[in-house]
Each structure stands twice: as C-alpha cells, then as structure tokens.
Amino acid sequence: MDLKRLEVSRLFHRFAFGPRPGEFAAALKLGPANFKDSLLNPPLVDLGSQKEPIFSDLGPRPATNSLAVKEFSQSLRSQSKELTIWWLNQMVLTQKPLQEKMVWFWHGHWATSIGKVNYSLPMLKQNQTFRKYALGNFRDLSQVMLLDGALQIWLDGNENTLKAPNENLAREVMELFILGVDRYSEDDVKELSRALTGYQVVRSTGVVTLNQRRRDKNSVAILGKSTVMGAPDAIDHIVDQADCARFLAERLWYRFISSSENMPKDHPLVGALVDRDISRGLKVLINSQDLLNLNNSIVKSPVEWFVSVCKALKLTPSKLDSFTKLNNYLDKMAQIPFSPPNVGGWPTDEAWLSPASAQFRIAFATWLVKQADLSDIESVTPEKRISYLADLLAVPEWTPRTSSALYDVRANLPRLVTLAICTPEYVVSQ
Amino acid sequence: MIEKPIMSAAQLGMSKFTRRQFLKYSGASVIASTVPVLSISDIVQAAVSKPLPLGTPILVVVTLYGGNDGLNTVIPFQDPTYYTSRPDLNYKAENLLPLSDGLALNPAMTGIKTLWDAKKVAIVRGVGYPEPDHSHFSSMSKWQTGSPKTHLNTGWLGRWLDTQPVDPMTSISLGSILPPLLVGSKNSGSALPLGGLIIPSGSFAKACDSISKPSRADNKLMAATALSMRNLFSISGNITPVLLQPAPLPDDLPTISGGNAGGDSNLTQQLNVVGKLIAAGAPTKVWSVSLGGFDTHANEANAQAALLGTVSTSITKFLSQMKASGRSKDITVLVYSEFGRRVKANGSDGTDHGTSGPVFLIGDRVNGGFYGDQPSLSKLIDGDLAVTTDFRDIYSTILEDVLLSPAERVMGKWNGRIKAIKAV
C-alpha cells in the first residue's frame, strides 16, 4: 500500500466529501502536510457557499379537514424538499469542505429528526448553528444548542416544567451529547432535568423563551455540585467535566478514524480538547499517525458516498432529473439528511452493507452515471482509465480483483464508472 | 401538529439501526454482512427438503422498542393511586378489558383479551432486572444479552444457538440487521430482509459479480462490502409465491410521539411472513420480530393504543392463521420491552423512562393467568415501580419448558422459574 496515497485519500473522504476532478492528483503533488494546511485553512470567502433558503413561518397547523390544511401540508413538504436539496448542494459545492463535514458530524451528534419537529424553519436554524460553530468551541455550541428550538421540540424540552419534569433532554445531554454513557448517575439526570425546566418553543419558528413560572428555581445537585443553577450554569458545569473532553474525543475518533477500533486511552486528542476547542482537536486528529494505520478503515455513509460521487462526476444535486427519485434512493439506502433514525444518530460501517443496500447502491449509481458528462474519462485511452478512475475517486489502490473486473469493461464507459463507484475500494474509505 | 414530511414513515421510524447500536453497546461482534442473509426461497426450499417435524416447539420473540408503558398496558384500574398519579393519562374503568386481580388490558388489546379468556395468555408482572438502567441502549442490551450485571457479547438466544447444530435456518430475524439477541459466540441467527430484492441480470450482473469476488487484498470492511454484494447475487431471483409483494410502507403508525428510540414498524407484515413460513414447514425454531415507537414521552395515549392494537391484532391473527397448519400448539410467543415507564405522568401527557413492566407469553402451551407480583403504586423506588420478577426467570423457563434445552448452559446458575408453560 502506498501510504501517501492512503493518507491523502483518507483526508479527502473523511475530512471532506471527496475530491473534485484533478484535486487528488494535485494534493498528492502538494504533499500531505500542505494539503492538511489547506483543509484547516480554507479560503476566507466561500465562493461555493449556497444561499440559504428563506422560509416563511407557516404558523400552527390548521384544523384537520379544513381547506387551509391542504395548503399548509404542501408548504411543509415544499420547504422540507428545499431544505434537503440546499444542504446537499452545499455539501457538494462548498469550498470549505472540512467545515461542512463538521456540520454533518454535529448533525449526527445532536441528532434531531424533522420527523418529529415537522417544520423546516427550526431545522434550518439548527443547521446554521452547526455551521457557525462547526470548528468553534464546544462549550459555546452546547450553550446555543440548549436554546435550539428543533432540539427542544425533539426531546420534549418544551414540556419540561417545575410541576412535571420531563427527563428526555436531560438524559440525552448526559448520555449522547456531552458526557457519554456510564459517566453520570440516574440522580444526575433527574436533577439536570429540573435545572432545564421552563423553556418554551414556538414550534413553527423554533423560537425558544424561558418562562420563569415553569422554572424550577430550587437548588439542584449535579455531578457533585449542589447549588441553585440556571440551565446555562448546569450546561457549563457538565462541559467542565474532564469526561466531556474524553467523550468528544471518542466521538470524533468514532466518526473520523474508526468505529470498530477503540481510541487509545492516552490519545493526544483528549488533551487537545482541554479547552473544548474543536479546531484544535481536529488539527491533532488530522496530523495523527492514525491516518496511516491500515486497521482504521471506515464505510462511507450513503450521503457521504452520494456527495463524493457528485463531486467526482461534477453533478449538482438540485440539477438531477428528479428530486423524488433522489429522495427515494436516499430513503432506500436509509439515510436522508435531517432524518436520523433516532437520537443516537446515524449508524456506521457494516450497518450500511446489507445485500439490500448493495442492490439500491447499484441502482442509484446507474441513475447518477446516466446523468453525468463522461467526456473527460472518454478522452483517456481505455488502458489508462482504471488508474485515471483511482485518482478521480481518490481510491488509494484497486485490488487485483477490481482492476481486472474494471479492465474487462473499460470500453463501456457508463458501466465502467457505475462499477467503479460500487467497488468495495470506493464504498469503504480504506 | 403531526405532519408527514416527504420522507416515508419507514425512514423516520427506522429501527434496525437502533438494534445495530445495541450491537455496538453490548460489544457484540457480529458483522451484518457476514450474518447469513436468507431469501424467502431459501427458506421455502429448506421447508421442502428438511421440514421441521410437527410437534417441534417454536418460539416467536416480539421485541417492543422504546420502552412500553406497562401501567397502561396491564392497568391497575381499581387502585386509586393509578388515577392520582396520572390525572390526564389514565383509562376509565368502563373502557377497559378486565382480567382479574383488579387488572385490565388496554382497550386496544381486544384480540389478546380473547386469548386470555381462552387461558392462552400468561402475564408476568413487574419484570425487570436489578439496578434498572434508564437508557434505551443499555437497558435493551441487558434484556437481549440476558446479563444485567456483566456486559456479554452474546444474546441469550445466541448462546442457545451455540448449543444447537450449525444451521442458518434454526433462528431467523425479520429485517436486514440481526439483533444482539440472536448473536452467539459460534452460531448466530440469520436475517431475512422484507420486500423483494431486485437483482441486476445479464452481463451487468456478471460485471457486478466480478467486482465482489473475494480478494486477499481486501481489508475487513471491503471484504464485508464484497460479501454483501455476493449475497445479493446468491439470492435466487426465483422468489416463490409465498411472498411476492414488496414491504408495504407502514405510514399508519404513530412514529411521531414515540419515534426516536427505534424499532421496526411493520409488525403485521413480519408476523404474516413468519406465519406463512412456519406453515410451509420452515426448519426454524426461533423467530425474532419487532415493533418500535414506544418511546412515548408526550401525548402518549393515542400513540400507545395504536401500537398495542397492532401488537394485539397481529399476534392474534398470526396464531389463528397457524391453526390450519397444525402447528398452533407448537408455538409460544414472547412479548417484552426494555423497560416500563415512570408511574407519574410528566407534564406532556406522556411518561419518562421507568423500570419494570409486564411480559406476555402467549400460545396453546401456555398456562394462562398472572405470574409474579404486581408492583405497588404506593411503594415506589425513586418514583419507579419495583422489579418483582427477574427476566432470567422467564428466559430459563423458556429454555427448559419451551425449547426443551438445559438452561444452565445459557443462563449459568440461575434458580428462578415461572410455571407458565405446560409440560409437553
């Protein structure tokens, strides 16, 4: 294995959404160190940035069977469609791929589904928060997320009151968002839920306000500290825990390095997160030797696979011939942005590899390749197309099996490209 | 407030991944793509060549993902504390399906009430494990591994599979991902994805096949990717008329208020397939199906009633379907969830994660009635119901009295049993 190709390939597929044509070869020429610099220091102005959709407040749902409800439902659907396509376009076209990859990471971390939130406006606001704090400080992000309308709706924070505390948000703050399982007690969850009482959300806009009358203003005892705490104090206190840095490190490791290998206990990433500075952590991760360790392979999730295919084949999601078809393929492969399966976020690795998803991936690939302009590949002599495709797709190397299988179909361009993006070498970031 | 977005409900309520996460949490090491994936025709063929002898016991495990509210399933309607604890989330006595001992079934469970009256339903009350864990992930992992104290990499039925001859047909889970329940250290259950697969054909199929051949240069995940493609092609396109229809979209289920803790949403269809395959003579002793959506933190009553209605109707229909096959007397159905819910309702007409809950055993071989003590509503532990029966009592009983296998090899030394199963 050519370790330089491996490292650059991993940088592209994990810390970005894959290369555009020519970028892999250019990065190889530049060398991994310089390429890392360019990932960490993107252009200040993102020329590829997609204009955010502007959503009107659709207000409360009209009465069932009323005339207005039909129009309301159509508006919900069309906003949701616009939201999805906007974000997919952003992933493909942005010039700040690391930032966007972190938006994707946070989306899976604070996993909130439009399936319960219903309205696109709060989902858009949450997505903007992820982008603003993508590489910022986790403490700031956690504070802003406490007031995130979509998250409050998703975890019933809206209903958590002095009279009747609802633990849903408090539990996930402890288990899935800030500390990790087994790093707190049941009492900590109950006490935290009291500290988080009193927030109210306007569902259609995601605007969160604090209703003092619904707030529990009594002293709470959380993780060894017993005092009167407002929700922001409580969040600060939890982010202060040393376990927070460890947990964040584990989550970054899990999504960027390996979800099957455990992070070494003494990994420098934990120390780098001492101030909860995400960009410092990522810098350590990007520069670590873990990117050269052959054990650390990872399966691209369907959206990651789709976006990297779009980039390689110069496709723009909004210009594909049918949004319904696109949505349907992503649905079949079990990953639609804004709809994680549960609050634990997206699954990893083998979960994406059932025979059923293999079938849908082949169909999806066939549909995408049909719409791609393959003239660049056509201009390459058939004998050189296999290695050309390795660079186009940032594949470190083809196995002899795949080289020979692709060689057999080298003259049939659509088939060659369809197969190449379905190979184990491409589905997996090696 | 409930409005369907453009994604299908299947997508939103999708659950296999939650089960996949349980795999992670419990450290189980089975790889989805190396789990044998069966097609309907594989099973039908096996049913023809080596049918399960009539009279062989069959276990059907129904997992309710999300934490079913036991107190609104088997309802202590004569206890005033029930009404004071849940002023806005209770059922009036006149709407309930009364059993005995001051308990009644949720009004949606008419089918199971009929089976109860025929003495075919055992309800084990207050089931759980010591030091209850309120996390979906951890609690489900304890239930499925059957080991509340130490983390095991194997499920309790997976360890039973380890004692059986190697045969991918012995245990089958509906859906494409295997739950930890069926993961053993040597043997594992198989997965049967629902819905027809569309397999490429002709020279394109040949080309697809050639990029998925085993390669020594593959790392573990690449090998798994290749294997998943090969499995696709090894499934014959010649699907028998047992099941030609693709999986219907389960858009009638309330994925909204209980939709964030996983679980499959097409229980009726899963049991329909299981019923047809049992009738065809499939050589399978343990089946696993699931339903999600029980995480009802808010506006619980309607959502839970719809789900319990699905559970009740689909199980009743399944068992009555089985009568004609001559196998209904062989079948025992187990229904459980990872925890019950808090006694006091929260302010959102829902309930938070609790502890113990009722477990159902249903079938001709069941001695109908109540087992275990009903946890008191006034003597709560931290606001939660006490655990009066350990799930290991039930598992040990099922292993010995349903599957006719020694329990110790699976559960270790464990003495508790319930007398809910008739002798063969």
Side-chain angles (χ1 to χ4, degrees), chain B residues 184-226:
Chain B
S185 56
K186 293 201 323 258
N187 297 345
S188 281
S190 302
L192 170 65
L194 286 178
L197 295 176
I198 304 153
I199 321 288
S201 58
S203 64
F204 184 49
K206 229 183 113 207
C208 289
D209 194 42
S210 60
I211 57 165
S212 60
K213 287 203 163 65
S215 165
R216 286 172 60 188
D218 276 345
N219 66 32
K220 194 175 116 239
L221 290 172
M222 287 158 67
T225 310

Side-chain angles (χ1 to χ4, degrees), chain A residues 6 60 147 192 207 301 310 428 430:
Chain A
L6 178 72
L147 301 175
L192 176 62
V207 171
S301 74
C310 284
V428 175
Q430 294 180 40

Side-chain angles (χ1 to χ4, degrees), chain B residues 266-282:
Chain B
N266 48 2
L267 181 66
T268 310
Q269 200 219 2
Q270 295 172 57
L271 280 174
N272 189 25
V273 173
V274 170
K276 284 174 174 161
L277 290 170
I278 289 177

Side-chain angles (χ1 to χ4, degrees), chain A residues 61 73 76 115 118 154 156 159 164 166-168 171 175 186 190 259 331 342 350 353 359 401 415, chain B residues 1-3 8 11 18 31 134-135 137 197-198 203 213 218 228 256 260 297 342 346-348 352:
Chain A
R61 184 187 173 83
S73 302
L76 272 192
N118 294 325
W154 172 235
D156 305 313
E159 323 281 354
N166 182 312
E167 289 170 9
N168 211 2
R171 178 174 309 282
E175 178 179 336
E186 273 307 302
K190 284 180 192 165
S259 55
D331 187 11
N342 59 59
E350 294 93 341
L353 298 179
Q359 168 208 335
R401 164 210 52 216
R415 181 161 294 178
Chain B
M1 276 302 176
I2 295 173
E3 177 58 45
S8 73
Q11 164 66 18
T18 303
I31 297 169
H134 292 70
S135 142
F137 306 106
L197 295 176
I198 304 153
S203 64
K213 287 203 163 65
D218 276 345
S228 70
I256 300 304
N260 56 10
H297 284 276
R342 196 62 56 83
N346 60 29
S348 347
D352 292 326

Side-chain angles (χ1 to χ4, degrees), chain B residues 10-25:
Chain B
Q11 164 66 18
L12 298 173
M14 212 156 34
S15 55
K16 44 190 182 182
F17 299 127
T18 303
R19 282 177 282 154
R20 174 66 203 164
Q21 280 174 328
F22 296 140
L23 268 177
K24 289 281 176 202
Y25 274 77

